[in-house]
């Protein structure tokens, strides 16, 4: 699995892959109870991108060929 930029499908980089997708949502989860569940429910969208993916403009793709 890789976290890539949603537009160009290139490497998302450290800022998007870690800071925006992990640190910011975690800070929100600490302040707003149950916001984690709202984020997770976004996985049921057609493009299977959670809220943190939408904020960071990233998508998780499979790198396996099999």
């Amino acid at each position: 699995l890789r976290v890539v930029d949603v537009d160009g499908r290139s490497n998302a980089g450290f800022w998007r892959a870690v800071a925006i997708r992990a640190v910011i949502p975690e800070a929100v989860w600490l302040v707003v109870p149950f916001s984690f569940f709202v984020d997770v429910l976004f996985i049921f969208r057609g493009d299977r991108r959670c809220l943190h993916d939408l904020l960071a403009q990233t998508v998780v793709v499979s790198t396996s060929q099999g």
Side-chain angles (χ1 to χ4, degrees), residues 1 25 29 31 33 36-37 39-40 44 49-50 66:
L1 297 177
W29 298 337
V31 176
F36 168 78
F37 296 112
D39 182 31
V40 171
F44 297 109
R49 293 172 59 207
C50 290

Side-chain angles (χ1 to χ4, degrees), residues 2-63:
R2 285 183 50 204
V3 177
V4 296
D5 182 74
V6 73
D7 296 327
R9 300 291 171 125
S10 60
N11 186 6
F14 178 81
W15 178 249
R16 285 188 187 176
V18 176
I20 296 176
R21 291 185 80 244
V23 175
I24 293 172
E26 180 119 0
V28 172
W29 298 337
L30 291 173
V31 176
V32 181
F34 303 107
S35 62
F36 168 78
F37 296 112
V38 174
D39 182 31
V40 171
L41 289 175
F42 271 75
I43 197 71
F44 297 109
R45 293 169 29 108
D47 60 2
R48 299 185 52 95
R49 293 172 59 207
C50 290
L51 188 55
H52 58 267
D53 290 315
L54 296 172
L55 290 172
Q57 294 293 310
T58 58
V59 63
V60 178
V61 295
S62 175
T63 59

